[in-house]
């Protein structure tokens, strides 16, 4: 029997985490532009914001499917894919239109092939050194692949009576990614460690591929499954919200120590797993009724969370354009004023996406879903 649903209402804690994730990413990517010196320190571990997004996606998307299974004893693939399509694809296609239609928007000189973006396979074989424009779409590729295969795997699990072993399968995926990174490090990375190709190979073979980055998604799915089906786990989470937060922060600190040199063997093999597990514990705190994260409502984090996808898509191009305009106006672009102007421009870009693309897409989505129910 499933446990009582942990919450059918909006969970403020998840807004806080989504806002944290996009701020981490912004700080990390801002280092690629002219910036204040302190950004190097603050943004050093900002790459983990993507891992936090993975944990959140694994938790939220699988949670929707698990609840649907308990409600209707199955999954409507048509409904699931319609919802995902209208949430993800229109803003993504508009961003591709900007990048391919307006070279001024490109933060660097070269793009990957259009077919790799449109098929969400850009994260494989991505030469970030020579085709680094819109390189951050690599994480969207992983998430789209996840959205495609997760409901299919769950349906297979239901048909084969393996659904009950979802947690074990999630653990297997974590260990699989860790093992693949270990093998890849020794086979592909070690031979080029003292060459100019090191970073290109490290990103291409370790950082970007889906099969090496399953940790966060698997952690999110595992937590979601346990919250849905284990009363004992659910009670533990709800009774220890603030303790879980402290434990998660301590674990994250240890993970940052492991990942202090992001491209070291320890970070490359074990770091992604450690970061995913740390954010998983913090996520448990965020959905715990006894946690300050769960109980604290914030307009700022709610808005940042709602804009996070649009900001993620557009922020590099916007920062590039804004700093170019500031340069033309003889305004210093490596200072704090430029940072705040760029940040506000990213928020404005997110709002543009919301009102011009996302809201009309959502209306069309509901029209189609309602028509299908008739």
């Amino acid at each position: 029997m499933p446990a009582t649903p942990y919450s059918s209402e909006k969970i403020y804690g998840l807004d806080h985490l989504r806002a944290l994730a996009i701020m981490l990413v912004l700080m990390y990517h801002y280092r690629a532009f002219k910036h204040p010196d302190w950004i190097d320190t603050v943004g050093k571990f900002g790459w983990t914001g993507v891992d936090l997004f993975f944990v959140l996606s694994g938790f939220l998307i699988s949670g929707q499917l698990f609840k649907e299974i308990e409600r209707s004893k199955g999954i409507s693939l048509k409904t699931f894919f319609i919802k995902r399509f209208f949430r993800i694809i229109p803003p993504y296609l508009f961003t591709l239109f900007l990048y391919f239609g307006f070279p001024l928007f490109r933060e660097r000189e070269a793009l990957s092939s259009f077919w790799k973006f449109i098929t969400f396979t850009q994260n494989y074989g991505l030469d970030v050194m020579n085709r680094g424009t819109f390189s951050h779409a690599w994480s969207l590729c992983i998430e789209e692949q996840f959205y495609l295969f997760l409901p299919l795997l769950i349906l297979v699990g239901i048909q084969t009576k393996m659904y009950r072993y979802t947690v074990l399968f999630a653990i297997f995926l974590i260990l699989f990614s860790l093992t693949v990174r270990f093998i890849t490090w020794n086979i592909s990375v070690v031979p080029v460690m003292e060459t100019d190709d090191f970073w290109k190979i490290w990103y291409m073979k370790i950082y970007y591929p889906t099969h090496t980055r399953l940790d966060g998604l698997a952690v999110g799915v595992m937590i979601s499954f346990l919250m849905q089906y284990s009363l004992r786990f659910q009670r533990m989470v709800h009774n220890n919200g603030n303790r879980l937060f402290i434990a998660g922060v301590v674990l994250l600190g240890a993970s940052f120590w492991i990942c202090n040199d992001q491209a070291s063997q320890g970070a490359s093999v074990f770091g992604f797993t450690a970061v995913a597990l740390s954010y998983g514990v913090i996520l448990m705190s965020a959905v715990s009724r006894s946690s300050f994260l769960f109980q604290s409502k914030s307009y700022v984090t709610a808005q940042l969370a709602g804009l996070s996808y649009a900001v993620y898509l557009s922020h590099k191009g916007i920062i590039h354009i804004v700093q170019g305009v500031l340069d033309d106006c003889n305004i210093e672009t490596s200072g704090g004023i430029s940072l705040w102007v760029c940040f506000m421009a990213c928020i404005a870009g997110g709002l543009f996406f919301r009102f011009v693309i996302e809201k009309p897409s959502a209306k069309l989505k509901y029209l189609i879903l309602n028509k299908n129910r008739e």
Side-chain angles (χ1 to χ4, degrees):
M1 293 291 291
T4 303
Y6 46 89
S7 178
S8 59
E9 302 175 352
K10 184 176 180 63
I11 301 176
Y12 302 133
L14 298 182
D15 281 346
H16 303 330
L17 295 190
R18 199 178 287 110
L20 171 63
I22 192 59
M23 289 303 300
L24 285 169
V25 170
L26 281 172
M27 291 297 100
Y28 184 71
H29 286 163
Y30 199 77
R31 302 187 316 159
F33 302 89
K34 294 180 181 178
H35 58 272
D37 292 339
W38 59 267
I39 289 291
D40 289 321
T41 301
V42 174
K44 180 177 182 179
F45 296 104
W47 59 269
T48 66
V50 172
D51 297 80
L52 179 51
F53 275 128
F54 285 160
V55 174
L56 287 165
S57 291
F59 177 81
L60 290 167
I61 300 304
S62 65
Q64 294 173 14
L65 295 172
F66 296 150
K67 289 178 181 179
E68 183 179 357
I69 289 169
E70 293 310 311
R71 185 173 60 249
S72 58
K73 307 304 178 184
I75 296 173
S76 171
L77 292 178
K78 183 177 182 180
T79 298
F80 176 81
F81 288 128
I82 287 174
K83 288 181 177 180
R84 290 295 89 204
F85 179 91
F86 283 100
R87 175 69 183 96
I88 301 298
I89 301 302
Y92 179 70
L93 290 180
F94 181 74
T95 307
L96 288 181
F97 168 72
L98 292 177
Y99 271 111
F100 282 90
F102 299 92
L104 179 67
F105 194 74
R106 301 175 187 176
E107 68 273 8
R108 291 181 63 177
E109 67 284 352
L111 283 157
S112 296
S113 300
F114 181 75
W115 71 266
K116 299 198 78 172
F117 284 108
I118 207 70
T119 59
F120 291 100
T121 56
Q122 175 241 13
N123 65 314
Y124 278 96
L126 174 55
D127 180 358
V128 71
M129 300 305 166
N130 297 305
R131 294 187 175 274
T133 294
F134 199 22
S135 59
H136 54 291
W138 71 272
S139 66
L140 305 178
C141 295
I142 292 179
E143 296 219 18
E144 281 302 301
Q145 294 160 25
F146 171 70
Y147 299 150
L148 175 63
F149 288 106
L150 178 66
L152 301 178
L153 288 172
I154 290 177
L155 285 176
V156 170
I158 293 173
Q159 293 297 321
T160 59
K161 311 299 182 184
M162 299 294 288
Y163 179 64
R164 70 186 72 178
Y165 301 113
T166 297
V167 171
L168 292 179
F169 183 65
I171 294 173
F172 166 78
L173 290 179
I174 295 171
L175 295 176
F176 171 80
S177 281
L178 191 153
T179 303
V180 170
R181 290 196 299 270
F182 175 77
I183 295 171
T184 303
W185 173 270
N186 287 286
I187 292 177
S188 299
V189 178
V190 170
V192 300
M193 287 190 69
E194 303 300 325
T195 73
D196 293 337
D197 285 336
F198 172 77
W199 281 106
K200 181 178 77 172
I201 297 300
W202 184 83
Y203 275 109
M204 189 181 296
K205 300 292 186 180
I206 296 286
Y207 193 76
Y208 290 141
T210 304
H211 59 278
T212 62
R213 300 305 307 272
L214 295 171
D215 313 68
L217 293 167
V219 167
V221 171
M222 180 168 56
I223 295 171
S224 179
F225 186 88
L226 290 171
M227 288 296 288
Q228 181 69 34
Y229 291 100
S230 173
L231 282 169
R232 179 179 297 179
F233 183 85
Q234 192 181 118
R235 291 194 193 100
M236 183 277 293
V237 168
H238 285 310
N239 292 335
N240 296 279
N242 292 324
R243 295 186 186 93
L244 286 168
F245 177 79
I246 294 172
V249 170
V250 171
L251 288 172
L252 189 62
S255 301
F256 285 176
W257 179 79
I258 294 172
C259 297
N260 187 52
D261 179 358
Q262 186 184 3
S264 67
Q265 180 179 14
S268 300
V269 175
F270 302 103
F272 300 133
T273 302
V275 167
L277 292 172
S278 302
Y279 280 134
V281 176
I282 295 174
L283 170 67
M284 289 159 57
S285 171
V287 299
S288 169
R289 296 191 186 99
S290 62
S291 168
F292 78 96
L293 288 174
F294 183 93
Q295 297 170 0
S296 303
K297 182 179 180 180
S298 167
Y299 176 82
V300 173
T301 58
Q303 292 303 311
L304 277 175
L307 295 173
S308 60
Y309 178 52
V311 171
Y312 186 84
L313 286 171
S314 60
H315 69 282
K316 281 186 179 179
I318 290 175
I319 293 171
H320 166 68
I321 290 175
V322 169
Q323 288 206 348
V325 171
L326 293 177
D327 270 332
D328 291 340
C329 297
N330 295 317
I331 297 175
E332 176 59 54
T333 54
S334 61
I337 293 177
S338 174
L339 170 66
W340 280 107
V341 172
C342 289
F343 175 76
M344 296 309 297
C346 289
I347 298 299
L351 290 170
F352 176 84
F353 271 68
R354 171 184 287 179
F355 291 108
V356 176
I357 301 166
E358 293 179 328
K359 284 202 169 184
S361 298
K363 289 181 180 179
L364 181 57
K365 174 185 69 178
Y366 290 124
L367 283 174
I368 294 173
L369 289 174
N370 290 334
K371 185 176 181 180
N372 289 334
R373 294 191 186 104
E374 292 176 357

